Every structure is written in structure tokens, then in C-alpha cells.
């Protein structure tokens, strides 16, 4: 049995959880999310808690059932936290001349290439950009969907991955890049 899967999820005030045809739907002040749960996992909603149990009679092998047990518990917990509190990621552009601006959910990046890069973000993600003098530009992303937010952050980082020699690129705020020393002259 999964240690994570055994933990019950408490439902905060203002959040409603429903289960219908193997799909868990969570609705709260920040939005609404749903997740399909494998038939080898039983979901029980009672007394303000959600619990997950493994179906011992399902034909799926035991290791797969244990993996599903922890996986679906974590996914539903992320949904409950997302619709009640939300998730927030802050990206920082480190490099000379790197800029970012947005108009609604259309974000424009200037990352040292010959052309600007545009990305249209989904409506579920709120974006804010900050550019202050003598500070690195910041991109603040907020959403109730943790998986979608992580996917968008990975896409934005892929435009200019952090490099270890000068430390330039798109980084998460507070992220530390392990630096490498450059080439050294050969001794004769």
C-alpha cells in the first residue's frame, strides 16, 4: 500500500468535491478541475475527507495498483489545493537586454535572438510582468492547475535554458545555478 495514498485529504471550506462515473470534480473559489481515476482505485468522500483505497479484485498487477494509489491521491490533493489557494510561480530573466512584456495573456520575450518570441497563454493562467530599473525582469504566473502551470514554466524556460558558464537564461526566482569555470591556459 502506498504511504502517500493512505493519507486522507481534508476538504477546506468553500470547496465542493463530487464523484461521478470515475471522475472526481473539485470546485472552489479559484476555479474548477476534474480528474479521471483508474477503476482499480476506490474514492470515498465522507465527513469532509477524501480517501483512496485499492481494489484487491481488479485484474491490474499489485505494483501498478500501488503506484496508482499514490498518484491519484496526489493529483486530487493538488486539485483541492489549487481551487482553494492556487499556485504561483515566478520566473526571472537573467541576461543583458533580456526583456518581457504582456498584453493580456499574450507574452512577448526579447531573449537575445534576432526576433522577439510570442506565446499565447491559456485563459486559466494569469500572467503579470515586472520590469524595474537595475532589477532582472520577472514573470509572475498564477493558476489553479498545478500541471498546466508547470508545463507553461517549462515551455518558457526552453526559450533560453540557464547555462552554467555565465548564469544567463530564464530561471525560477531564487534558483541557484551551479557554475562551471571556463577554459584555463595550458602550462608549458
Amino acid at each position: 500500500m502506498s504511504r502517500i495514498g493512505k493519507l486522507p485529504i481534508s476538504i477546506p471550506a468553500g470547496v465542493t468535491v463530487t464523484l461521478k462515473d470515475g471522475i472526481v470534480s473539485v470546485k472552489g473559489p479559484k476555479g474548477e478541475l476534474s480528474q479521471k481515476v483508474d477503476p482499480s482505485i476506490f474514492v470515498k468522500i465522507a465527513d469532509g475527507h477524501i480517501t483512496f483505497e485499492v481494489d484487491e479484485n481488479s485484474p491490474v498487477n499489485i505494483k501498478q495498483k500501488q503506484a496508482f494509489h499514490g498518484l491519484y491521491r496526489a493529483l486530487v490533493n493538488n486539485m483541492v489545493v489549487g481551487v482553494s489557494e492556487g499556485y504561483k510561480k515566478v520566473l526571472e530573466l537573467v541576461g543583458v537586454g533580456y526583456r518581457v512584456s504582456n498584453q493580456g495573456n499574450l507574452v512577448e520575450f526579447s531573449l537575445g535572438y534576432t526576433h522577439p518570441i510570442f506565446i499565447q497563454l491559456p485563459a486559466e493562467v494569469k500572467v503579470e510582468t515586472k520590469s524595474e530599473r537595475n532589477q532582472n525582469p520577472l514573470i509572475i504566473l498564477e493558476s489553479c492547475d498545478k500541471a498546466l502551470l508547470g508545463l507553461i514554466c517549462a515551455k518558457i524556460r526552453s526559450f533560453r535554458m540557464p547555462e552554467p558558464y555565465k548564469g544567463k537564461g530564464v530561471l525560477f526566482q531564487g534558483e541557484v545555478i551551479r557554475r562551471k569555470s571556463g577554459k584555463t591556459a595550458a602550462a608549458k
Side-chain angles (χ1 to χ4, degrees), residues 28-62:
K30 299 271 184 178
E32 185 174 353
L33 297 169
S34 61
Q35 173 68 47
K36 186 173 183 347
V37 178
D38 193 83
S40 64
I41 303 296
F42 290 132
V43 181
K44 295 181 182 175
I45 304 166
D47 301 327
H49 290 315
I50 308 168
T51 55
F52 296 83
E53 293 177 10
V54 176
D55 179 9
E56 300 297 335
N57 300 326
S58 78
V60 180
N61 72 24
I62 189 69

Side-chain angles (χ1 to χ4, degrees), residues 92-106:
E92 187 174 3
L93 277 60
V94 179
V96 176
Y98 288 6
R99 291 189 305 275
V100 65
S101 63
N102 71 308
Q103 293 177 341
N105 275 11
L106 180 68

Side-chain angles (χ1 to χ4, degrees), residues 100-102 105-109 117-121 127 129:
V100 65
S101 63
N102 71 308
N105 275 11
L106 180 68
V107 185
E108 178 186 358
F109 295 92
I117 299 171
F118 294 93
I119 184 171
Q120 179 69 43
L121 299 180
V127 64
T129 57

Side-chain angles (χ1 to χ4, degrees), residues 29-31 86-89 102 104-105 107 121-129 139-144 148-149 152:
K30 299 271 184 178
Y87 290 101
K88 180 179 179 179
K89 297 260 187 191
N102 71 308
N105 275 11
V107 185
L121 299 180
E124 297 89 24
V125 178
K126 294 180 183 72
V127 64
E128 181 186 345
T129 57
I139 309 159
I140 301 157
L141 300 164
E142 292 183 51
S143 179
C144 64
L148 178 65
L149 191 62
I152 289 170

Side-chain angles (χ1 to χ4, degrees), residues 9-183:
I9 301 170
S10 62
I11 303 171
V15 175
T16 57
V17 181
T18 57
L19 175 66
K20 185 178 180 190
D21 299 330
I23 297 174
V24 178
S25 299
V26 182
K27 188 173 184 178
K30 299 271 184 178
E32 185 174 353
L33 297 169
S34 61
Q35 173 68 47
K36 186 173 183 347
V37 178
D38 193 83
S40 64
I41 303 296
F42 290 132
V43 181
K44 295 181 182 175
I45 304 166
D47 301 327
H49 290 315
I50 308 168
T51 55
F52 296 83
E53 293 177 10
V54 176
D55 179 9
E56 300 297 335
N57 300 326
S58 78
V60 180
N61 72 24
I62 189 69
K63 285 203 177 269
Q64 188 65 53
K65 285 192 260 191
Q66 289 174 345
F68 281 159
H69 192 205
L71 169 74
Y72 288 116
R73 190 264 178 206
L75 290 175
V76 172
N77 185 53
N78 288 343
M79 290 177 7
V80 170
V81 171
V83 298
S84 61
E85 300 167 21
Y87 290 101
K88 180 179 179 179
K89 297 260 187 191
V90 181
L91 295 169
E92 187 174 3
L93 277 60
V94 179
V96 176
Y98 288 6
R99 291 189 305 275
V100 65
S101 63
N102 71 308
Q103 293 177 341
N105 275 11
L106 180 68
V107 185
E108 178 186 358
F109 295 92
S110 177
L111 297 172
Y113 296 115
T114 58
H115 58 282
I117 299 171
F118 294 93
I119 184 171
Q120 179 69 43
L121 299 180
E124 297 89 24
V125 178
K126 294 180 183 72
V127 64
E128 181 186 345
T129 57
K130 287 186 182 177
S131 297
E132 296 177 11
R133 193 170 173 87
N134 297 327
Q135 297 286 324
N136 291 327
L138 298 176
I139 309 159
I140 301 157
L141 300 164
E142 292 183 51
S143 179
C144 64
D145 192 346
K146 188 176 186 179
L148 178 65
L149 191 62
L151 190 68
I152 289 170
C153 287
K155 180 67 174 171
I156 291 172
R157 272 175 67 99
S158 73
F159 296 149
R160 187 65 92 171
M161 290 296 288
E163 55 94 21
Y165 295 102
K166 293 184 180 177
K168 294 173 20 174
V170 180
L171 288 75
F172 288 106
Q173 191 172 37
E175 181 181 4
V176 178
I177 300 294
R178 279 186 56 188
R179 302 293 295 269
K180 290 183 179 179
S181 60
K183 292 182 180 178

